[in-house]
Amino acid sequence: MSKGKILLTGAAGYIGSHTWVELCNAGYEVVGVDNFYNSERDVVERIEKILGRPVLFEETDCSCPESFGKVFQKHQDIVGAVHFAACKAVGESIEKPLMYYRNNIVSLLNLITLMKDKALKANIVFSSSCTVYGQPDKEHLPIAENAPLKRSLSPYGKSKQMAEEILSDSVVAYPQMKVCALRYFNPIGAHPSALIGELPRGVPQNLVPFVTQTAAGIRDHLNVFGNDYNTPDGSCIRDYIYVVDLAKAHVKAIDKLLSNCISKAEDEPTYTEAAKTGRWFIYNLGTGKGLSVLELVNGFIKATGVDLPYQIAPRRQGDIEQVWADPKKAELELGWKADTPIEDVLRSAWNWQKTLK
């Protein structure tokens, strides 16, 4: 028996596809939606192969209210949504800010409006990001959920900050809304089946796909952007989290929202009015350990035994020097923890790369 029907936007994307599998494994019926702007059509078939059965899928653009609205007309028993549909590359967002604001904000507005107008219980798990913290002060590392939000260094990060504000205001205004904003750090790796993984179009914007493409000979070398940061080896530090671990956190978040859990988080310093409703939850999703770019590169070489040519390049605009999570709140309240060893994660990324032609 299904635990309920969940709308999954951006379902064919990197994190969306893995979350689709985990939601189904947990007993939910999932309606996946995507317009394949930044994903491939065969991902749906790959998910069906992993699950061993057909899935529900609707091709639609979440930024188009008419098209998106047809999904709600067809599936009137939706009990919650996991919202991934967004553009997500920091560097690209600096080059194309209007595209990021238009897509990332409008798609969310449409989701909230449609769930509200259809009189649905608007249980929304929102795909947020650690970029909402900007460049944190060192005394706030590792970052907990009550760390101050600084001005983001990219339109991508600003769009996530705006989205959280929209959601928090909506929770105050609409009593039928409950929201989990999941601020995740750097998802990497691929499903153990090697049937789904990160598949960037063109030149990868994220580190690990560039690493695996370089190892596969698709790229001549890897650029490490900056070796003069105030870190032990001079390269940026991030919190790299296994995408399957991350996907499972979304299941835990949906479980929480559907459990009718009300939590009076009056001490939440961010968006105080939303916190007072007891229907607004924020969680950092990470490992709690910082890993530098150079440490990850050398870890990949060690884990796979594959040579990886790289060179130091100038700093990249919009990059944050160092950031990693304090994930204790997610462990305490969601019962979730990212504990897959980094060596296994990097091997999964390499196994996925080897399946690509």
Side-chain angles (χ1 to χ4, degrees), residues 130 133-134 136 140-147 185 284 322-327:
C130 66
Y133 295 110
H140 291 122
L141 289 173
I143 296 179
E145 289 79 0
N146 60 1
F185 284 63
N284 287 341
Q322 51 185 320
V323 61
W324 67 93
D326 179 349

Side-chain angles (χ1 to χ4, degrees), residues 319-330:
D319 275 346
I320 292 171
E321 180 177 275
Q322 51 185 320
V323 61
W324 67 93
D326 179 349
K328 288 195 293 289
K329 184 180 177 185

Side-chain angles (χ1 to χ4, degrees), residues 126-130 132-133 144-147 149 164 181-185 270-271 280 282-286 325:
F126 176 63
S127 167
S128 192
S129 167
C130 66
V132 300
Y133 295 110
E145 289 79 0
N146 60 1
L149 305 190
E164 285 196 12
L182 302 181
R183 295 172 176 169
Y184 25 93
F185 284 63
T270 308
Y271 312 134
W280 170 250
I282 298 172
Y283 297 104
N284 287 341
L285 301 183

Side-chain angles (χ1 to χ4, degrees), residues 5 14 71 140 164 181 225 228 230 286 294 300 314:
K5 184 178 285 186
Y14 175 42
V71 176
H140 291 122
E164 285 196 12
F225 295 104
D228 57 351
N230 186 25
L294 289 173
F300 177 85

Side-chain angles (χ1 to χ4, degrees), residues 24-132:
C24 289
N25 286 341
Y28 288 102
E29 184 178 19
V30 177
V31 181
V33 300
D34 208 303
N35 65 351
F36 300 113
Y37 171 77
N38 196 32
S39 58
E40 301 297 333
R41 293 179 182 275
D42 70 347
V43 168
V44 179
E45 297 175 2
R46 290 168 177 263
I47 289 170
E48 290 180 332
K49 188 172 182 179
I50 292 171
L51 295 174
R53 57 182 170 82
V55 296
L56 297 175
F57 178 76
E58 306 289 343
E59 184 174 351
T60 190
D61 183 349
C62 298
S63 65
C64 175
E66 292 79 14
S67 176
F68 198 16
K70 293 178 181 178
V71 176
F72 289 87
Q73 292 171 6
K74 186 174 180 179
H75 302 277
Q76 298 183 22
D77 53 346
I78 290 170
V79 298
V82 181
H83 184 57
F84 289 110
C87 300
K88 62 182 183 65
V90 169
E92 183 185 53
S93 76
I94 293 171
E95 298 170 359
K96 302 175 181 178
L98 296 183
M99 181 181 77
Y100 272 68
Y101 290 128
R102 183 182 302 112
N103 185 65
N104 294 7
I105 300 302
V106 172
S107 62
L108 176 64
L109 292 174
N110 288 339
L111 175 66
I112 295 170
T113 300
L114 286 164
M115 295 192 84
K116 178 176 68 71
D117 290 351
K118 297 294 181 182
L120 297 171
K121 290 183 178 179
N123 297 299
I124 298 174
V125 175
F126 176 63
S127 167
S128 192
S129 167
C130 66
T131 56
V132 300

